[in-house]
């Protein structure tokens, strides 16, 4: 919830048939959370900010199959 309120989470969303949507990737900004807790510091001594990115390969496959079908032809 905090990520959404602060705008720290972004999602790449695929639109599927029937009006459904599915997040296929996300980027999350952790701000200084991990830098502070694990002692990851910048040369200035300030806690480093971290982020991560995730790709749901099975979700990409589902979106692809919905768009193009399962027939290789």
């Amino acid at each position: 919830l905090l990520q959404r309120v602060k705008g720290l989470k972004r999602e790449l969303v695929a639109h599927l048939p029937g009006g459904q949507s599915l997040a296929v990737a996300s980027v999350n900004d952790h701000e200084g959370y991990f830098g502070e807790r694990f002692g990851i510091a910048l040369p200035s001594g300030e806690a480093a900010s971290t982020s991560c990115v995730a790709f749901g390969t099975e979700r990409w496959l589902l979106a692809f199959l919905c768009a193009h079908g399962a027939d290789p032809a």
Side-chain angles (χ1 to χ4, degrees):
L1 177 63
L2 184 59
Q3 284 182 322
R4 293 187 193 274
V5 169
K6 293 180 76 174
L8 302 175
K9 182 180 188 78
R10 300 275 188 239
E11 292 182 334
L12 177 62
V13 177
H15 298 285
L16 305 178
Q20 294 183 329
S21 59
L22 178 68
V24 295
S26 68
V27 178
N28 301 281
D29 181 352
H30 308 136
E31 295 184 317
Y33 183 85
F34 291 107
E36 293 165 5
R37 279 147 187 86
F38 293 102
I40 306 168
L42 301 174
S44 66
E46 179 183 7
S49 293
T50 60
S51 60
C52 68
V53 61
F55 301 94
T57 52
E58 74 287 353
R59 292 169 176 241
W60 283 88
L61 177 60
L62 175 61
F64 181 86
L65 291 173
C66 285
H68 302 286
D71 183 3

